[in-house]
């Protein structure tokens, strides 16, 4: 098993990267999100990898973080989703957006992935929902935000969740609602209504 490769980007093409390390060029299948990160040829990178061994050959899949690799491995653990389909999901949605889509049961967001229909998206949500935690997802996005921590310590951990539910009741998708609420800088003393009003400013 190759856990990661540290080397220089030799070439980039759609869905592919050649990473040179100690004179060896490793061909990696990569998600589209890595292109959005602004990776360039000649850049030094540390890529976390997953090796897929199948009857038709051996393939390496590369990711910029352990978190993305972990999400990818969760995806291929879902019945009916193979290595390439899992990569397609992470090319359509970032790891964070996928987590929020699963937690909010946003079938349409996941079904935008080429080759992933509504039924497969529903299965993915069903199998992964228990592996994600809404509170943890927000805490990861709000890491280092002492004000948010103060709110949780003050016994108001449900303010943002209530705001998410209110936004979805207003007709926004679960993913849109979660994305808006996570942008709110929650301060001590903010109740659900205050968080909702602040989140609405990010919807326009």
């Amino acid at each position: 098993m190759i856990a990661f490769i540290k080397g220089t980007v030799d070439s980039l093409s759609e869905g592919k990267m050649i990473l040179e390390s100690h004179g060896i060029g490793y061909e990696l299948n990569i998600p589209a999100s890595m292109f959005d990160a602004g990776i360039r040829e000649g850049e030094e990178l540390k890529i976390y990898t997953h090796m897929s061994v199948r009857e038709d050959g051996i393939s390496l899949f590369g990711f910029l973080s352990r978190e993305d690799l972990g999400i990818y491995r969760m995806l291929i653990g879902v019945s009916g989703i193979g290595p390439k389909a899992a990569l397609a999901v992470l090319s359509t949605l970032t790891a964070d957006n996928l987590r929020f889509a699963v937690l909010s049961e946003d079938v349409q967001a996941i079904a935008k992935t080429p080759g992933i229909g509504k039924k497969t998206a529903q299965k993915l949500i069903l199998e992964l929902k228990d592996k994600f935690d809404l509170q943890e997802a927000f805490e990861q996005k709000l890491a280092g935000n002492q004000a948010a921590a103060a709110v949780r310590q003050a016994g108001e951990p449900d303010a943002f969740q209530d705001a998410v539910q209110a936004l979805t009741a207003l007709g926004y998708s679960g993913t849109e609602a979660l994305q808006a609420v996570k942008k709110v800088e929650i301060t001590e003393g903010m109740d659900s209504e205050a968080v909702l009003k602040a989140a609405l400013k990010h919807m326009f």
Side-chain angles (χ1 to χ4, degrees):
M1 175 66 73
I2 301 174
F4 65 83
I5 303 171
K6 190 173 183 180
T8 303
V9 179
D10 180 76
S11 64
L12 290 166
S13 59
E14 186 176 356
K16 298 282 187 181
M17 170 194 290
I18 303 296
L19 190 68
E20 181 183 351
S21 179
H22 301 292
I24 299 175
Y26 295 91
E27 183 180 72
L28 303 170
N29 298 283
I30 59 175
S33 58
M34 287 181 66
F35 291 94
D36 296 336
I39 294 172
R40 294 183 174 88
E41 292 181 3
E43 184 176 354
E44 297 240 350
L45 289 177
K46 182 177 183 179
I47 301 295
Y48 296 90
T49 62
H50 173 82
M51 181 183 290
S52 173
V53 181
R54 302 167 69 91
E55 291 182 1
D56 56 354
I58 299 175
S59 301
L60 277 175
F61 295 81
F63 305 91
L64 287 174
S65 70
R66 285 194 180 94
E67 179 192 12
D68 288 352
L69 174 60
I71 296 293
Y72 175 79
R73 286 176 171 164
M74 285 186 185
L75 285 169
I76 60 177
V78 175
S79 175
I81 296 185
K84 291 184 178 180
L87 193 69
V89 172
L90 289 178
S91 290
T92 304
L93 298 166
T94 65
D96 283 330
N97 288 343
L98 175 62
R99 184 185 291 109
F100 290 138
V102 169
L103 290 169
S104 62
E105 300 186 16
D106 192 343
V107 174
Q108 291 185 342
I110 298 172
K112 289 179 181 178
T113 303
I116 300 294
K118 185 177 179 180
K119 288 185 178 180
T120 303
Q122 290 173 330
K123 180 186 292 185
L124 187 153
I125 289 171
L126 181 64
E127 294 193 27
L128 292 188
K129 192 168 185 180
D130 290 341
K131 297 181 180 180
F132 295 140
D133 179 78
L134 182 59
Q135 180 79 13
E136 180 182 349
F138 273 93
E139 286 179 351
Q140 287 180 353
K141 278 297 180 184
L142 297 170
N145 188 330
Q146 296 179 352
V151 170
R152 289 192 293 274
Q153 292 170 1
E156 298 177 338
D158 297 326
F160 58 81
Q161 295 186 44
D162 291 342
V164 169
Q165 292 175 358
L167 285 171
T168 55
L170 289 172
Y172 296 103
S173 72
T175 300
E176 290 173 332
L178 286 163
Q179 291 283 25
V181 174
K182 78 173 184 177
K183 294 176 182 177
V184 176
E185 293 186 10
I186 304 175
T187 58
E188 186 173 0
M190 286 181 75
D191 58 13
S192 301
E193 184 177 356
V195 175
L196 173 61
K197 289 179 178 178
L200 280 169
K201 295 178 181 179
H202 296 290
M203 303 301 292
F204 304 100

